[in-house]
Amino acid sequence: MPKEHKKRGRREEKKRKKEQEEDQPESKKRKSLDDNQAEIIFDNDPQNDGADYIPIVGPGEIPFYGLLDEEEQEYFKRADAMLELDQFNDAEERALFLANVYKEANGKELKIANSQSCSRLMERLILMSKPNQLKALFQKFSGHFLHLAQHRFASHCCETLFTRSASIVSEEITAPVEAPSGDHEQETTTAEQLFLDVSKELEGNLGYLMTDPFASHTLRVLLVVFSGRPLVDAQTTSLLQSRRKEHITLNFKEPSTSASTSTRTVPDSFGDALDHMMKSMVADLDANSLRALASHPVANPLLQLLLDLEFRRSGKSKAKDTNSLFRKLLPDDPPEEGTDSASFFNAMLYDPIGSRLSEVLVTNSPGKTFKVLYQSLIREKLQSLAKNETASYVLIKALERLNKEDLEAAVHELCPQVELLAERSRTSVVKCLVERCQVRGLDTGPLAVALKKAYGEDPTERLNKMLKLGTSSSENMSEERQKHIESHDPSKAHTSLLAQSMLDVPGTLQDLIMDGILSLDNTGLQQMAKDRSATHVLQKSLACAGDTIRYRRMIMPRLANMTADLATDPAASHVVDAFWKGTDGLPFIREKIAEHLMQHEAILRESAPGRAVWRNWQMDTYKTKRFDWMAEAKGRTPGTKTGIELARERFASQKQGPRPKTDEDATAKETGHGLSKSGGGPRTALVEHHKPQKLAQLLDPQLPDTGVGKDGFLKLVEKVLQYSVNTWDQGFMPKLYASTDAPGVASDLILSVLNTNLHVYDASPALTIIEKATTLALASLFGLHGPHAGGISVQGGSASNTTSIVIARNTLYPETKTHGIHSSPHDFILFTSAHGHYSIEKAAQMLGFGSRAVWSVPTSSKTGAMDPSALSSLISKAESEGKTPLYVNATAGTTVLGSYDPIRSISKICREKKLWLHIDASWGGPVIFSPSLAKERLDGSHLVDSIAINPHKMMGVPVTCSFLLGADLRQFHRANTLPASYLFHSDDEDEDGEAHDQQKQPSEIYDLADLTLQCGRRGDALKLYLSWAYHGTQGYRAQIEHAFETASYFAELVEQERDLVLVSENPPPCLQVCFFYGKGGSVKGDGKENSRVTREIARGLVPRGFMVDYASVDDRGAFLRVVVNRETRRGTVEGLVKAVVEVGEGLW
């Protein structure tokens, strides 16, 4: 005969036994002791001499409430299934069905609560009931709570009933009790009275119920209800929730009587009842009995709650009461080492159950008591406690209470153990140290060093080791299976939490995690996103504190390409949700992600995670109301009109009118099309463009015999302004300069009003002093601190470079000052970068060297910077050919790519060969105002002989404003001074008017033309002086750093646009962003064709309100070169990318 088909295994056998006991009377299943008394032996004393034998009288035999028949069970099971599905048409239909179920359950409530198969229905009924229904059910249970609380299933119903009814008490304090209606005609009773009746019913049995495996949970809920504490917070839930209790959920919003997440208002009678219950529970128990309960798995959580409530209600003064629970557990004051209290506390530290009570003691004990506990019993054992799985949690509670000094000492003590803790996966202590150091403002550097040592120097290896990436594949594994595996290996969750806490600390700790994430390849990133523990770290990194824009710019484009794959994964879909925060300030990438989601809509809608991502990203709005979605993506209020819409409304009725205003035009730039005006040529706020012949006709510049007067003068000014390029416009991005500002305009006006020449001190004393002070301050920024350091103003960068060559030649070879280079035996050679400025070659022509004397030094194919080894080789080659190497020009910010030559390496070569080293920092020099930017770009600037810098470029000082700085101005004077007694009158002249031949110190030179090639000198230093005074060093630092951030953002946009090919590095070295237009990301092989497309795009951008330039560095032809300035907005570069793509589409 075939056997019954059964699943094998111990779990299934145990399950069948439980099913056979279904609905059996409790009296048959519970083993009763003689005389119906339950006795518990607490084996706290190893000798068990009887002192710990505590007889606790139980309530007697539990009554049998009867069984539901098969028909009743079937009905209630179906009712529970229907309520769980919640497929009712509306709330009224649900309420009607609920009333019918109550009607059918009338008189059977106790049977249902005790039934294994139907107790779930009772809990669901309680969750869905209205206040009058809850109170009616409460009264049905009254008189039976003592027995129901001890039942395996009915106890859960009691807990749910207490939790749901708690808020009714608060409501009845401010509102009258509603009269009962319907079928539940009961005497009007308040919820307050119902709860008080429960406390009276349980009185006399509280000691027994403390150790009952079911009643203890119910008792905890009741205590919390009486206390007024929130029933739904993390701390309360951990004490109340049974791990075996099935969680009953609802598919609709709970009624208004749901438990509050905030502190509840309770009547005074509840406080009295709570005090009475707490006192009754421990009244007959001495210290030994209570300590036995401390290690009891059922009673311990209740003791935790009692201790917590004791401190909350009575404050720290209760700790002095000898009858308090705290003093019964720790009678010695203070509980120093060697006392009975210390022995108990030490024993509990390592007890898996008792340690939880130790946590409460450490957390809530008065300050003086905690200090003694820490200093006597914890501080000396920090390392051993940290390494113990159980005691470490007590240590964490102690660390959370330490002051700054003690915490610093604890960090010093525990840092050497971090490596061992990491090996044992005891990272909770390390996480606590990280968090507390952040709160207390302590240096986290030692922790960072220890963590780096523990997990490795290599970023990828470090992250993989910390988060255990790659140890097990979760691919194609069910979510339940993943949960099961991780529940048996909590170390992954712990290290994930550690990594998340590190991300909350800006600086080295945060960088350890971010560097690791950035070092992962795309496969590793996907694995991290899909790992149930590691995914939280990735999510956190996209939304953590601090300045993370650089990290997000680097990681988000890579993640964006994985959007569709990640969005359908249960874990990784949350990473896609975090993309929104991760793209804050990166709207272009945010829009790209939305496009990815749109393209895979069908796939997303097939999975629950995908549908959640679609909903969280508001993709339906993206499909139907794109402008509203884009507005929110860019931080604007949805529904507001875009710049182009406002522009169209403003100018729709104007066929002719004034040139659009720059401020109005700036708001429209992000659309890719600035405001325009109808007319013969492109007319925008940037420029009204015409060909030269046409413009000559429009301007018609005449020089009349008779003056035009004031009115005519103003008309001429209007014409000049109308047909000039507006460098103040956001779209002006072709050159290395842009608009100035109010201080700049004012300073230029002052110079015109003064109309003086800065050649000798007597003609311009104030401007002379200002120039000397300004150039000295500027030189000191570059590290030129010598006693003779300083500088002079010149009429531009080319003049600075030319002057530096004259000074180099006349200083290194003084005879050339009088005899020239043609009578010199030397064949001088000047070296400059292949990407250097053309002014070096022009100066060579002017100074008689000739163009052939300028040798171009090859540059790095990657960075565009001068190759020092190539320079050294060329110098050696020149020497071998009998030539004389004279001068090296290193560039700080090349004209095309913005490259910075390696100054320190070049200076070493120049010192060895005794060559003059000059830096052409005309463009990139102002980064010296930002230490973070200058650190690498201008490293070694203090080692050079001369520096050229043009504040009228990057700093926005009015054109022209240029300086030549030097380490020794005596060289400037010797190289340039000439006798001119009609102009330079020295204080040391003799009676005949002849000056004595002696070297002046730079501080003594006030006739500044004696230091330069110029005689007529405008006081351009005033423009930098007033602007610097207005903005301050920090102001310029902020402006320059903002410009570099915008350039980096622009480069990121270009790199992510599929039809553009970035030429510059990302991030770019300076403020130029260079790129080709190439359909699909490819550049044509024909350099001439690429140049044609580039030129046409540059022309096509002008009518859209953008001016850009183009250049070439290799045989691929010309590419677009865009220069960002300190006023450039992100919306402007976003619009420019759109404009380039739109113009380029018609040219490819």
Side-chain angles (χ1 to χ4, degrees):
M1 183 175 178
K3 295 183 178 179
E4 179 184 357
H5 177 67
K6 297 179 179 179
K7 290 184 179 179
R8 293 176 292 175
R10 289 176 293 175
R11 293 183 180 177
E12 290 299 321
E13 184 64 28
K14 185 181 294 186
K15 184 177 179 182
R16 283 194 292 274
K17 287 182 179 179
K18 289 183 178 179
E19 290 173 350
Q20 291 170 4
E21 294 175 0
E22 165 64 13
D23 289 333
Q24 293 297 317
E26 284 293 309
S27 58
K28 295 182 180 179
K29 291 189 284 185
R30 187 185 296 275
K31 294 182 179 180
S32 301
L33 300 179
D34 294 340
D35 300 325
N36 293 323
Q37 291 183 351
E39 296 181 333
I40 299 177
I41 297 177
F42 300 100
D43 193 16
N44 193 43
D45 188 345
Q47 298 180 359
N48 195 14
D49 57 2
D52 294 327
Y53 179 83
I54 309 171
I56 302 179
V57 179
E61 186 175 355
I62 297 178
F64 175 53
Y65 294 108
L67 299 174
L68 296 169
D69 59 36
E70 291 184 6
E71 186 176 344
E72 290 172 333
Q73 286 194 45
E74 188 62 29
Y75 171 79
F76 289 127
K77 285 181 180 179
R78 279 202 315 272
D80 182 48
M82 292 184 68
L83 289 172
E84 183 176 15
L85 291 173
D86 190 39
Q87 295 179 343
F88 304 103
N89 293 324
D90 50 36
E92 184 178 353
E93 183 178 340
R94 185 192 303 111
L96 181 61
F97 180 80
L98 198 64
N100 289 331
V101 175
Y102 260 115
K103 185 176 180 180
E104 189 65 31
N106 188 29
K108 307 181 186 74
E109 293 87 355
L110 298 177
K111 292 182 182 180
I112 297 172
N114 284 270
S115 171
Q116 179 181 7
S117 58
C118 297
S119 61
R120 293 174 74 256
L121 170 66
M122 180 57 68
E123 286 192 71
R124 205 179 299 280
L125 282 175
I126 294 171
L127 289 172
M128 302 174 74
S129 294
K130 296 178 180 179
N132 61 324
Q133 293 170 324
L134 285 172
K135 289 169 64 176
L137 184 60
F138 210 125
Q139 294 184 57
K140 295 279 188 179
F141 281 15
S142 292
H144 303 280
F145 281 112
L146 178 59
H147 304 297
L148 294 176
Q150 300 174 71
H151 193 275
R152 177 182 176 187
F153 307 117
S155 61
H156 298 323
C157 297
C158 294
E159 294 168 28
T160 307
L161 180 62
F162 292 161
T163 302
R164 291 283 292 114
S165 302
S167 57
I168 304 178
V169 177
S170 301
E171 292 174 5
E172 290 182 348
I173 292 177
T174 56
V177 179
E178 295 182 4
S181 59
D183 297 328
H184 302 283
E185 295 294 338
Q186 301 280 352
E187 180 183 352
T188 302
T189 306
T190 63
E192 174 187 357
Q193 188 58 49
L194 291 172
F195 273 109
L196 294 175
D197 291 343
V198 176
S199 68
K200 292 177 181 177
E201 182 181 341
L202 301 181
E203 191 172 350
N205 295 285
L206 295 174
Y208 170 79
L209 297 178
M210 286 177 67
T211 57
D212 184 90
F214 306 120
S216 62
H217 286 282
T218 308
L219 199 56
R220 283 179 243 161
V221 175
L222 188 61
L223 289 172
V224 172
V225 170
F226 281 137
S227 70
R229 281 178 59 177
L231 290 160
V232 193
D233 67 1
Q235 187 177 5
T236 306
T237 303
S238 64
L239 284 172
L240 302 185
Q241 184 66 52
S242 170
R243 283 182 293 178
R244 296 184 179 181
K245 183 182 184 299
E246 183 178 359
H247 184 57
I248 308 296
T249 57
L250 300 179
N251 291 326
F252 69 99
K253 188 176 180 181
E254 293 186 26
S256 58
T257 53
S258 59
S260 174
T261 57
S262 58
T263 303
R264 293 169 291 106
T265 303
V266 294
D268 295 338
S269 59
F270 273 25
D272 297 335
L274 178 61
D275 290 337
H276 183 71
M277 288 180 68
M278 293 171 60
K279 190 177 298 182
S280 300
M281 288 182 190
V282 299
D284 298 328
L285 299 177
D286 58 14
N288 288 333
S289 302
L290 284 172
R291 291 175 180 178
L293 289 175
S295 58
H296 191 279
V298 175
N300 178 278
L302 194 51
L303 278 184
Q304 294 180 52
L305 180 59
L306 290 174
L307 262 178
D308 187 67
L309 291 174
E310 184 176 86
F311 280 111
R312 284 175 182 266
R313 289 186 55 76
S314 305
K316 297 178 180 179
S317 61
K318 193 71 174 177
K320 300 179 181 179
D321 185 356
T322 56
N323 293 321
S324 67
L325 177 59
F326 176 77
R327 273 294 159 229
K328 285 187 176 184
L329 290 170
L330 299 178
D332 301 292
D333 188 13
E336 296 175 333
E337 188 68 59
T339 62
D340 189 41
S341 299
S343 300
F344 165 70
F345 185 81
N346 285 329
M348 290 297 100
L349 280 175
Y350 301 97
D351 187 286
I353 297 171
S355 63
R356 297 183 179 275
L357 188 67
S358 298
E359 293 180 43
V360 179
L361 288 170
V362 168
T363 302
N364 294 292
S365 60
K368 291 183 179 179
T369 304
F370 167 74
K371 192 171 184 179
V372 174
L373 279 175
Y374 177 73
Q375 292 179 347
S376 301
L377 309 178
I378 297 178
R379 187 174 62 182
E380 301 302 323
K381 298 183 288 189
L382 285 177
Q383 296 185 7
S384 62
L385 292 175
K387 290 182 282 188
N388 186 272
E389 183 177 7
T390 299
S392 61
Y393 291 99
V394 183
L395 175 59
I396 289 171
K397 294 298 182 184
L399 292 174
E400 289 175 350
R401 292 194 62 178
L402 294 183
N403 57 35
K404 188 173 183 178
E405 292 73 19
D406 288 339
L407 180 62
E408 189 172 16
V411 171
H412 179 75
E413 180 78 13
L414 291 172
C415 269
Q417 301 299 316
V418 168
E419 187 172 4
L420 181 60
L421 294 175
E423 290 178 4
R424 297 186 180 183
S425 299
R426 303 282 187 267
T427 55
S428 296
V429 173
V430 185
K431 170 180 172 290
C432 179
L433 289 175
V434 170
E435 293 172 343
R436 297 312 297 171
C437 285
Q438 172 75 346
V439 171
R440 295 295 189 189
L442 286 178
D443 178 24
T444 55
L447 282 172
V449 173
L451 285 165
K452 200 178 222 183
K453 182 180 179 182
Y455 290 107
E457 292 286 337
D458 181 71
T460 306
E461 177 187 348
R462 180 170 63 239
L463 192 70
N464 285 332
K465 185 177 180 181
M466 176 180 287
L467 300 180
K468 299 188 177 181
L469 296 174
T471 55
S472 61
S473 176
S474 59
E475 189 108 12
N476 301 322
M477 186 185 296
S478 69
E479 189 173 1
E480 290 299 321
R481 178 61 177 162
Q482 291 181 45
K483 289 181 179 179
H484 175 74
I485 292 176
E486 291 178 14
S487 66
H488 289 76
D489 183 19
S491 60
K492 285 194 70 172
H494 290 169
T495 52
S496 172
L497 291 171
L498 169 60
Q500 292 174 60
S501 68
M502 292 168 65
L503 286 169
D504 276 328
V505 186
T508 310
L509 285 176
Q510 190 179 78
D511 291 343
L512 288 179
I513 304 300
M514 289 185 174
D515 290 346
I517 295 175
L518 290 172
S519 70
L520 294 176
D521 58 20
N522 289 342
T523 303
L525 268 180
Q526 285 183 314
Q527 182 184 3
M528 182 178 182
K530 295 179 179 181
D531 186 280
R532 286 180 53 81
S533 297
T535 185
H536 296 289
V537 179
L538 187 55
Q539 295 170 43
K540 181 74 173 181
S541 72
L542 300 177
C544 56
D547 184 11
T548 62
I549 185 68
R550 182 180 177 85
Y551 163 77
R552 291 187 288 112
R553 279 181 187 152
M554 297 175 71
I555 197 65
M556 279 310 307
R558 296 175 59 194
L559 290 172
N561 293 329
M562 310 173 189
T563 299
D565 178 49
L566 300 182
T568 55
D569 183 84
S573 61
H574 297 291
V575 177
V576 181
D577 290 339
F579 283 0
W580 186 270
K581 184 67 176 175
T583 53
D584 190 19
L586 304 171
F588 192 82
I589 300 177
R590 187 174 284 178
E591 186 178 0
K592 285 289 185 183
I593 293 171
E595 285 293 336
H596 279 297
L597 295 174
M598 178 69 77
Q599 294 169 9
H600 298 86
E601 178 181 0
I603 298 174
L604 294 179
R605 291 190 181 277
E606 289 177 359
S607 68
R611 289 191 295 271
V613 169
W614 185 270
R615 182 174 59 253
N616 293 336
W617 269 76
Q618 304 178 50
M619 291 304 297
D620 288 327
T621 303
Y622 183 80
K623 285 180 63 176
T624 58
K625 298 179 180 179
R626 182 73 61 91
F627 281 117
D628 286 351
W629 190 95
M630 289 298 297
E632 186 171 350
K634 294 182 178 181
R636 297 198 303 260
T637 304
T640 56
K641 295 180 180 179
T642 64
I644 192 63
E645 290 172 331
L646 292 171
R648 286 169 179 165
E649 289 181 4
R650 188 179 298 114
F651 296 101
S653 60
Q654 299 180 16
K655 293 184 179 179
Q656 295 290 333
R659 186 172 176 175
K661 295 180 180 179
T662 299
D663 290 344
E664 296 170 345
D665 180 67
T667 61
K669 279 292 193 284
E670 64 184 49
T671 66
H673 206 307
L675 305 183
S676 60
K677 170 193 164 188
S678 59
R683 301 183 182 187
T684 67
L686 174 61
V687 63
E688 181 175 330
H689 181 72
H690 299 281
K691 291 184 178 181
Q693 296 80 2
K694 176 66 174 177
L695 183 57
Q697 295 175 6
L698 292 172
L699 279 176
D700 188 25
Q702 299 291 328
L703 298 174
D705 291 333
T706 304
V708 296
K710 177 181 176 182
D711 292 338
F713 175 81
L714 292 177
K715 288 180 180 179
L716 291 175
V717 170
E718 286 182 3
K719 272 191 174 184
V720 171
L721 293 176
Q722 178 180 353
Y723 296 117
S724 294
V725 175
N726 180 9
T727 61
W728 296 71
D729 187 81
Q730 281 282 305
F732 182 77
M733 307 173 78
K735 304 301 179 185
L736 303 183
Y737 63 89
S739 66
T740 184
D741 52 19
V745 172
S747 60
D748 225 354
L749 180 61
I750 292 170
L751 287 175
S752 296
V753 170
L754 292 176
N755 195 36
T756 189
N757 190 351
L758 197 61
H759 49 1
V760 294
Y761 175 80
D762 291 342
S764 50
L767 295 180
T768 299
I769 299 300
I770 287 173
E771 178 168 330
K772 288 174 68 68
T774 303
T775 53
L776 182 61
L778 197 57
S780 68
L781 286 180
F782 286 92
L784 304 178
H785 300 299
H788 308 299
I792 52 174
S793 68
V794 288
Q795 68 268 43
S798 295
S800 295
N801 294 338
T802 302
T803 304
S804 71
I805 296 174
V806 172
I807 296 172
R809 184 198 64 188
N810 293 352
T811 298
L812 298 178
Y813 299 91
E815 70 278 5
T816 60
K817 182 178 180 180
T818 54
H819 295 84
I821 61 172
H822 296 295
S823 61
S824 171
H826 302 287
D827 187 1
F828 294 113
I829 301 298
L830 315 176
F831 301 91
T832 187
S833 163
H835 290 177
H837 196 261
Y838 76 96
S839 60
I840 299 298
E841 187 174 352
K842 180 176 286 188
Q845 295 175 2
M846 293 169 55
L847 299 175
F849 294 105
S851 298
R852 68 164 188 82
V854 180
W855 286 16
S856 294
V857 182
T859 60
S860 166
S861 59
K862 180 180 179 182
T863 64
M866 181 188 289
D867 183 356
S869 61
L871 171 64
S872 181
S873 299
L874 286 175
I875 293 174
S876 299
K877 180 176 184 296
E879 291 175 335
S880 68
E881 294 178 0
K883 302 181 186 299
T884 304
L886 170 68
Y887 171 99
V888 175
N889 173 58
T891 308
T894 57
T895 307
V896 178
L897 296 177
S899 307
Y900 284 77
D901 292 341
I903 299 171
R904 185 177 291 275
S905 300
I906 295 172
S907 70
K908 183 178 180 181
I909 297 172
C910 291
R911 285 176 181 268
E912 291 176 355
K913 297 294 185 178
K914 296 182 180 179
L915 274 66
W916 185 279
L917 176 56
H918 171 72
I919 302 179
D920 180 5
S922 300
W923 168 230
V927 300
I928 199 67
F929 281 85
S930 170
S932 60
L933 293 173
K935 185 176 180 181
E936 294 183 3
R937 292 171 174 81
L938 292 173
D939 178 41
S941 62
H942 62 290
L943 302 173
V944 306
D945 297 295
S946 58
I947 302 172
I949 181 173
N950 290 2
H952 71 248
K953 292 184 176 181
M954 191 179 293
M955 297 172 70
V957 176
V959 177
T960 59
C961 184
S962 181
F963 297 94
L964 179 64
L965 309 176
D968 190 346
L969 288 189
R970 293 177 300 177
Q971 297 171 333
F972 285 39
H973 186 253
R974 282 196 298 264
N976 291 308
T977 187
L978 288 172
S981 58
Y982 57 84
L983 183 64
F984 303 121
H985 305 304
S986 174
D987 291 337
D988 57 355
E989 290 178 345
D990 58 23
E991 294 180 357
D992 298 326
E994 295 294 329
H996 296 295
D997 186 16
Q998 62 180 21
Q999 177 65 47
K1000 287 187 176 182
Q1001 299 301 316
S1003 60
E1004 301 171 349
I1005 300 172
Y1006 291 95
D1007 294 339
L1008 299 183
D1010 210 15
L1011 298 172
T1012 75
L1013 302 178
Q1014 304 164 248
C1015 180
R1017 302 178 70 251
R1018 198 164 187 259
D1020 291 328
L1022 179 69
K1023 294 184 282 191
L1024 175 60
Y1025 168 74
L1026 291 179
S1027 296
W1028 194 343
Y1030 180 85
H1031 295 290
T1033 303
Q1034 293 303 317
Y1036 271 131
R1037 173 182 178 178
Q1039 292 175 23
I1040 292 168
E1041 289 179 351
H1042 165 74
F1044 271 79
E1045 289 173 2
T1046 305
S1048 297
Y1049 175 64
F1050 184 25
E1052 195 67 49
L1053 295 181
V1054 171
E1055 195 166 53
Q1056 293 306 309
E1057 174 53 55
R1058 64 176 183 173
D1059 292 335
L1060 301 180
V1061 179
L1062 186 66
V1063 176
S1064 301
E1065 292 182 88
N1066 187 9
C1070 203
L1071 300 184
Q1072 303 102 303
V1073 179
C1074 303
F1075 56 95
F1076 285 100
Y1077 174 84
K1079 193 72 172 178
S1082 62
V1083 179
K1084 293 183 178 182
D1086 186 350
K1088 291 184 178 179
E1089 179 61 16
N1090 290 330
S1091 297
R1092 181 192 69 81
V1093 172
T1094 299
R1095 287 193 299 270
E1096 291 299 323
I1097 290 175
R1099 294 191 188 104
L1101 291 175
V1102 174
R1104 290 171 171 261
F1106 293 99
M1107 287 184 71
V1108 301
D1109 210 339
Y1110 48 87
S1112 62
V1113 294
D1114 53 34
D1115 57 5
R1116 290 187 297 174
F1119 47 76
L1120 294 168
R1121 188 202 66 168
V1122 181
V1123 185
V1124 170
N1125 61 69
R1126 61 197 181 119
E1127 300 292 340
T1128 304
R1129 302 178 181 180
R1130 291 194 170 196
T1132 300
V1133 295
E1134 290 170 6
L1136 177 57
V1137 169
K1138 293 179 183 178
V1140 170
V1141 172
E1142 291 172 5
V1143 173
E1145 285 179 350
L1147 300 173
W1148 192 258

